[in-house]
Amino acid sequence: MGDFRFGVNMLSLGSRSEWIEKCRRAEELGFDVIGVPDHLGLPAPFPAMVLAAEATERIRVNSFVLNVPFYNPVLLAREVATVDRLTDGRAEIGLGAGYVKAEFEAAGIPFPTGRQRVEQLAETVSTFRKLFGDSDYQPQPARPGGPPLLIAGWGDRLLRVAAEHADVIAFTGAGTDDSGHLTGAGPEALDRRVAYVRELLGPRQDKVEFNLLLQALATPDERPELVERMAAHLPPELLERVEEVPMVLVGDHTEMADRLRERRERFGINYLTVLEPNMAKFAPLIAALRS
């Protein structure tokens, strides 16, 4: 069972000084990774990652996750290699197949089918492996073979690609539709997803880390508000036992820490990511889970 790792996905940019201050605060709080999502209306991942690394000392930086069908694989490889070198090898590259049709329409990019998007992701990963494995490729990434790859998803086809190629498999803990709407899954569904991936991994099991993005944190007093907020994203039977839903965390600090230890034992998930609004609320758990 791996040691816990903790990431925070930053959702807003502000000024240069505000961005630097937030990133330094994340490092001070004990987070291991600063993530930057890839959605229109949010900061562009690569420049934000480079500045985050420049402003901090040890924390890793991650694209969580790139909307791969937006990009040409060869041109994206150049971006990735450059970011890896400019961050002195502190980059972790998160990849996803994309799921919000409106973002493709806004960018003037055709919206492929789900199968096509997964195929594009697989092609991109293969391109990375080929180019970064070539000693003549320029710019050379900071590490041989390129930075670690995190691949996020939930469906069978995408998880097959992740099991073959990823250093980190990020379980979304939810299904999506083309509108970008998330429908959360219960622990039994995550059990099935993890079992499916473990079977595919075979001898790679000990080399691959499992991640989960926590969409919401709530104290016991905040539980009613959480249930109301999650009503559009969870079926009624899961709302009744919202504490068990993997993509949320409910309880006081002791209960939250215990639940995360239980989930690590049950699912093998040791790498946890929270959203920026929950950064300070989650921070006290870091020391508790490392003790």
Side-chain angles (χ1 to χ4, degrees):
M1 197 69 64
D3 293 337
F4 279 110
R5 273 209 305 156
F6 306 102
V8 54
N9 276 3
M10 299 298 194
L11 304 180
S12 62
L13 190 61
S15 66
R16 172 186 166 88
S17 61
E18 288 170 335
W19 178 253
I20 288 172
E21 182 180 354
K22 280 198 303 189
C23 293
R24 288 177 176 166
R25 182 62 177 153
E27 186 168 66
E28 289 168 1
L29 290 172
F31 285 92
D32 302 289
V33 185
I34 290 170
V36 186
D38 187 18
H39 289 292
L40 297 184
L42 299 183
F46 290 145
M49 289 165 62
V50 170
L51 183 55
E54 181 69 19
T56 54
E57 294 182 2
R58 59 158 187 88
I59 203 164
R60 300 182 71 83
V61 292
N62 185 15
S63 55
F64 200 118
V65 292
L66 293 178
N67 190 338
V68 167
F70 278 178
Y71 304 96
N72 173 287
V74 173
L75 299 182
L76 184 58
R78 181 182 63 170
E79 299 287 334
V80 166
T82 301
V83 168
D84 194 44
R85 183 157 289 280
L86 292 179
T87 60
D88 286 333
R90 286 160 60 193
E92 182 179 274
I93 302 302
L95 304 172
Y99 60 94
V100 185
K101 185 178 181 180
E103 293 190 354
F104 285 80
E105 292 174 345
I109 298 172
F111 186 60
T113 66
R115 179 184 293 274
Q116 288 170 331
R117 298 197 304 276
V118 173
E119 288 172 351
Q120 287 175 287
L121 190 150
E123 178 190 358
T124 295
V125 173
S126 296
T127 300
F128 287 1
R129 297 302 191 203
K130 176 183 176 183
L131 294 178
F132 298 158
D134 181 356
S135 60
D136 293 327
Y137 177 75
Q138 293 296 330
Q140 273 285 310
R143 283 160 293 179
L149 297 181
L150 175 152
I151 297 179
W154 190 248
D156 284 0
R157 285 193 296 267
L158 199 150
L159 289 176
R160 281 200 299 271
V161 174
E164 182 176 357
H165 296 288
D167 301 288
V168 180
I169 297 176
F171 294 94
T172 57
T176 61
D177 60 25
D178 292 353
S179 72
H181 183 81
L182 293 174
T183 301
E188 299 82 6
L190 183 55
D191 275 329
R192 293 190 291 271
R193 295 289 77 198
V194 168
Y196 176 71
V197 165
R198 288 197 185 283
E199 184 177 357
L200 292 171
L201 283 171
R204 276 192 2 104
Q205 281 195 44
D206 294 339
K207 299 178 180 178
V208 177
E209 194 173 25
F210 288 173
N211 170 276
L212 183 68
L213 174 62
L214 298 172
Q215 297 283 347
L217 273 69
T219 64
D221 290 345
E222 294 168 334
R223 186 186 188 279
E225 178 190 347
L226 175 70
V227 169
E228 183 178 348
R229 186 156 37 102
M230 297 301 294
H233 299 283
L234 292 173
E237 64 272 17
L238 286 182
L239 278 177
E240 293 173 3
R241 52 189 185 108
V242 70
E243 290 85 357
E244 299 178 31
V245 174
M247 73 175 192
V248 301
L249 192 57
V250 183
D252 59 29
H253 284 151
T254 300
E255 290 168 333
M256 286 183 178
D258 287 344
R259 286 198 170 98
L260 292 177
R261 291 189 190 98
E262 290 166 3
R263 292 175 189 179
R264 181 175 64 173
E265 183 68 28
R266 178 173 179 175
F267 308 117
I269 294 171
N270 65 291
Y271 179 5
L272 300 160
T273 302
V274 298
L275 300 176
E276 180 183 342
N278 293 317
M279 181 170 74
K281 183 185 286 189
F282 187 84
L285 295 174
I286 294 176
L289 290 167
R290 283 188 169 135
S291 61

